[in-house]
């Protein structure tokens, strides 16, 4: 998968993760892109540990599900850290 496809995958996965989680998540499209790309990397790593294969092709369903799962995890961690920082 090329770098442009990976960035598009990250942006879409981050947007889907923000839509899935309840509440308001801060950040604009740049934070969504970063959350999605880091989530795709995390999802690929989790997929390689559990299933023996990480991210495959751009149009593979496993790639999208792992990327969205990773983006949700990263968004939960980001929300916990950002929420803790604003209370202090």
């Amino acid at each position: 998968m090329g770098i442009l496809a990976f960035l598009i995958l990250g942006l879409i996965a981050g947007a889907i993760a923000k839509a899935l989680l309840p509440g308001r998540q801060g950040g604009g499209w740049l934070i969504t892109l970063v959350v999605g790309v880091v989530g795709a990397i995390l999802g690929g790593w989790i997929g390689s540990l559990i299933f023996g294969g990480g991210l495959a092709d751009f149009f593979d369903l496993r790639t999208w599900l792992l990327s969205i799962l990773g983006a949700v995890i990263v968004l939960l961690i980001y929300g916990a850290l950002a929420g803790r920082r604003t209370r202090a």
Side-chain angles (χ1 to χ4, degrees):
M1 180 176 354
I3 187 74
L4 184 61
F6 196 71
L7 290 175
I8 292 171
L9 172 72
L11 183 62
I12 295 172
I16 291 173
K18 279 188 168 187
L20 288 176
L21 290 178
R24 183 175 179 268
Q25 291 84 24
W29 68 270
L30 187 61
I31 295 296
T32 304
L33 175 68
V34 171
V35 164
V37 168
V38 172
I41 293 169
L42 178 66
W45 180 72
I46 290 171
S48 67
L49 287 178
I50 295 174
F51 303 117
L55 303 178
D57 292 330
F58 184 76
F59 293 107
D60 189 14
L61 181 62
R62 181 181 67 193
T63 298
W64 285 93
L65 293 178
L66 288 172
S67 297
I68 293 169
L69 173 70
V72 166
I73 292 170
V74 169
L75 195 57
L76 288 171
I77 293 170
Y78 173 75
L81 293 176
R84 186 179 309 163
R85 212 175 348 142
T86 57
R87 291 184 202 152

